[in-house]
Amino acid sequence: MKAYKAYCFDLDGTVYRGAAAIPEAVAFIHHLQAQGIEPFYVTNNAKYTQLDIQKKLAAMDLVVPEARIMTSSIATAKYIAKHYRGQSVKVLGQQGLQQAIAAEGIPVVTENPDIVAQGLTMNISYEALEDVCYDIQHGAKHIATNGDIKLPKEQGFAPGNGSFVQLVQNVTGVEPLYIGKPAPHMLEIIRDSFGFEKEDMLMIGDNYDTDILVGIAYGIDTVHVDTGVTRQETVKAKSAQPTYYVKTLADWL
Ligand SMILES: [Mg+2]
């Protein structure tokens, strides 16, 4: 397999499953780091800050600079700062999104926002959803960190951010803008910030509909790992194929 400069790893289902590290992925990352290659981590999860994720990875024996961690919250905040400079934002989201918006110096309001930024919130209330429906009907733009409908948990699937975003869309009739994978914003920020060429970039992930499709849409090489959401046989039946398949990242070493 070809060598790359920017190895972009999805996290859940690729590097870990819930709280448990995937040993073959950890070994692969150690192998890259031993060659002087510091990978990137690209997650749709909007709940956590870079520091939260850095700590979680450290507990799995992965030492990762914060700047290599890209979340859909960071990309959402950077998108708003770039395209809607000076506009006010109502944040429906947890500390990952709140901190990312604050870090860009974006004015945050609780009433009459120019933009509603929506990420997954575990303590979401009917009233909060009702209020953002009114905001959007009164002209606010609707930007969603990510569109994941469901999240795999031990007990089954739990509602993801996309389920709540679609609920709001059903009421307002306004199409939201999605920032997370399969939209290319996170990869674009990495490329812009570090000056990579697309041929130097590789997206590695378990979820065909997000990780593989974002790589294909963005025009970079992709690796599907069979350690998470989408099974390898399902991927093989798709018309648009990843560049590589592996059962685990041990197959690459
Ligand atoms: Mg995943």
Side-chain angles (χ1 to χ4, degrees):
M1 285 171 182
K2 165 183 167 185
Y4 297 87
K5 291 178 184 165
Y7 290 78
C8 301
F9 286 83
D10 169 59
L11 285 173
D12 214 346
T14 302
V15 175
Y16 50 68
R17 269 186 297 264
I22 297 173
E24 296 89 344
V26 173
F28 186 73
I29 291 164
H30 285 163
H31 168 78
L32 291 175
Q33 289 175 327
Q35 296 177 310
I37 299 166
E38 194 62 70
F40 294 85
Y41 304 86
V42 179
T43 180
N44 272 5
N45 191 320
K47 274 168 55 188
Y48 300 116
T49 64
Q50 285 167 313
L51 187 60
D52 295 331
I53 294 168
Q54 186 185 47
K55 285 180 182 166
K56 179 166 181 170
L57 292 171
M60 298 170 177
D61 197 25
L62 289 173
V63 179
V64 173
E66 271 187 64
R68 299 278 166 156
I69 299 168
M70 175 55 59
T71 72
S72 63
S73 283
I74 293 168
T76 296
K78 287 188 183 298
Y79 185 93
I80 292 169
K82 182 175 175 183
H83 296 278
Y84 301 113
R85 176 59 68 191
Q87 297 199 14
S88 65
V89 175
K90 180 189 273 191
V91 180
L92 193 60
Q94 292 189 204
Q95 83 270 21
L97 184 56
Q98 290 165 3
Q99 276 195 23
I101 295 275
E104 294 295 327
I106 295 164
V108 175
V109 296
T110 54
E111 283 177 28
N112 303 317
D114 298 314
I115 296 165
V116 169
Q118 185 173 6
L120 186 60
T121 317
M122 299 322 227
N123 52 8
I124 200 160
S125 69
Y126 182 89
E127 192 184 2
L129 287 165
E130 183 185 359
D131 281 347
V132 299
C133 287
Y134 298 143
D135 293 330
I136 293 162
Q137 288 170 82
H138 295 154
K141 288 173 273 293
H142 188 193
I143 299 183
T145 55
N146 63 304
D148 299 55
I149 297 297
K150 56 189 183 177
L151 307 174
K153 299 269 178 100
E154 277 174 17
Q155 307 93 316
F157 288 108
N161 189 49
S163 293
F164 297 100
V165 173
Q166 287 195 5
L167 183 157
V168 172
Q169 181 184 2
N170 288 341
V171 176
T172 62
V174 174
E175 179 123 12
L177 171 73
Y178 290 102
I179 298 294
K181 298 173 283 188
H185 303 285
M186 293 193 283
L187 293 175
E188 183 72 17
I189 291 168
I190 291 171
R191 180 164 169 251
D192 277 355
S193 311
F194 290 83
F196 294 117
E197 299 297 330
K198 285 188 180 178
E199 56 263 35
D200 296 329
M201 298 177 72
L202 179 70
M203 182 71 216
I204 303 165
D206 66 294
N207 186 328
Y208 179 84
D209 294 319
T210 55
D211 305 317
I212 303 306
L213 287 185
V214 71
I216 291 171
Y218 193 54
I220 66 172
D221 285 353
T222 53
V223 181
H224 177 260
V225 288
D226 198 10
T227 51
V229 167
T230 317
R231 294 272 71 88
Q232 192 178 83
E233 56 265 31
T234 307
V235 176
K236 283 182 171 167
K238 303 280 187 184
S239 57
Q241 290 288 297
T243 317
Y244 311 102
Y245 308 99
V246 290
K247 278 287 172 193
T248 74
L249 286 165
D251 296 349
W252 194 316
L253 286 176

